Amino acid sequence: MPDEVVDLGPEPLAERSISDVETLQALSDPLRLRILELMTAGHDQTFTVKRLATALEVSQTKLYHHVNLLVERELIRPVGTRVVSGIIETSYRIAQLSVKLDRGLLAGDEPVLHDMLTTIFEGARDDIERGVRLGAIDLTDDADPLHKVILAKGFARLSPARAIEFRARLQELLESYDDDPPDATGPTGTGYGFVLGFYPMAGAADDVETDD
């Protein structure tokens, strides 16, 4: 159940643009990303460190540093406090529903790019392993479609025109599957994660054919 806080504060921003290295570095940690994903999914709720620790299956002491850093970078915000057993307990709410990275942050900065890629792929790995462990993902051949996972790494040789078309169609597909409205998912719905990459392969641009 959501924590009882009288004032939830302002509504989260629909999107926030990240243009500074410090905030990008705050995002470059799998655990901090899991915190943000959990709070984004419950954007109309508040979270204490205790609630986050229970949901993420980590100790509270491990989370304080990460939560404080997210507050410092204004990715989450404190919205209320209450006294529990003589200790002041703070409740937090997500500050934005999505983030958009300024591409200039990654250009020419290999360590930052490396950290971001590591965070993305390690986070996806952890999510999948946890899903298998908890039964949300079924790896058997005859699994229910709602519990199947797709894992693939591929290569395609495309003409420039087809590459541009393919990228545009992927972007259109992603944008067409925003969150379903509440009346389509019921009170909860099911959360699905995805990782998608489409990029030119260095060293594989020779002998590009005009037709595919």
Side-chain angles (χ1 to χ4, degrees):
M1 294 293 293
D3 296 306
E4 295 182 0
V5 178
V6 175
D7 184 6
L8 292 178
E11 289 294 313
L13 298 174
E15 182 178 78
R16 176 182 171 185
S17 178
I18 304 300
S19 58
D20 62 286
V21 174
E22 292 78 13
T23 304
L24 179 61
Q25 289 174 337
L27 292 169
S28 299
D29 180 272
L31 182 53
R32 287 197 287 272
L33 278 184
R34 290 178 64 197
I35 293 171
L36 292 175
E37 289 169 355
L38 178 63
M39 294 182 68
T40 300
H43 62 84
D44 57 347
Q45 305 171 23
T46 64
F47 294 80
T48 62
V49 172
K50 180 179 179 180
R51 183 183 179 194
L52 290 170
T54 300
L56 298 175
E57 299 179 331
V58 298
S59 67
Q60 287 183 237
T61 54
K62 185 176 182 179
L63 285 183
Y64 285 112
H65 165 72
H66 296 289
V67 167
N68 289 337
L69 185 57
L70 292 174
V71 171
E72 179 183 327
R73 303 317 309 168
E74 299 182 352
L75 293 164
I76 66 175
R77 60 169 65 98
V79 293
T81 59
R82 63 178 182 177
V83 178
V84 179
S85 300
I87 299 174
I88 297 178
E89 184 179 63
T90 303
S91 296
Y92 304 90
R93 191 180 185 191
I94 194 72
Q96 65 288 301
L97 299 181
S98 67
V99 296
K100 180 179 181 180
L101 298 182
D102 184 335
R103 292 181 181 271
L105 283 174
L106 303 179
D109 195 333
E110 290 189 8
V112 172
L113 177 60
H114 175 82
D115 289 346
M116 179 56 66
L117 291 173
T118 299
T119 298
I120 291 171
F121 289 108
E122 286 190 354
R125 179 201 63 197
D126 293 345
D127 288 343
I128 292 171
E129 290 178 346
R130 184 170 184 267
V132 172
R133 187 171 71 252
L134 297 180
I137 294 175
D138 186 343
L139 299 178
T140 60
D141 292 336
D142 58 348
D144 185 310
L146 290 177
H147 296 282
K148 284 187 174 181
V149 61
I150 295 176
L151 293 175
K153 183 179 185 298
F155 171 80
R157 191 176 292 279
L158 303 173
S159 67
R162 286 282 284 171
I164 292 172
E165 177 194 5
F166 185 65
R167 185 188 186 284
R169 292 177 67 182
L170 284 177
Q171 186 66 42
E172 182 181 357
L173 180 64
L174 290 173
E175 292 175 354
S176 70
Y177 278 88
D178 289 333
D179 289 349
D180 285 336
D183 58 348
T185 60
T188 56
T190 300
Y192 290 89
F194 60 88
V195 176
L196 173 66
F198 179 66
Y199 46 89
M201 294 285 288
D206 52 321
D207 300 325
V208 176
E209 301 176 1
T210 55
D211 297 317
D212 45 83

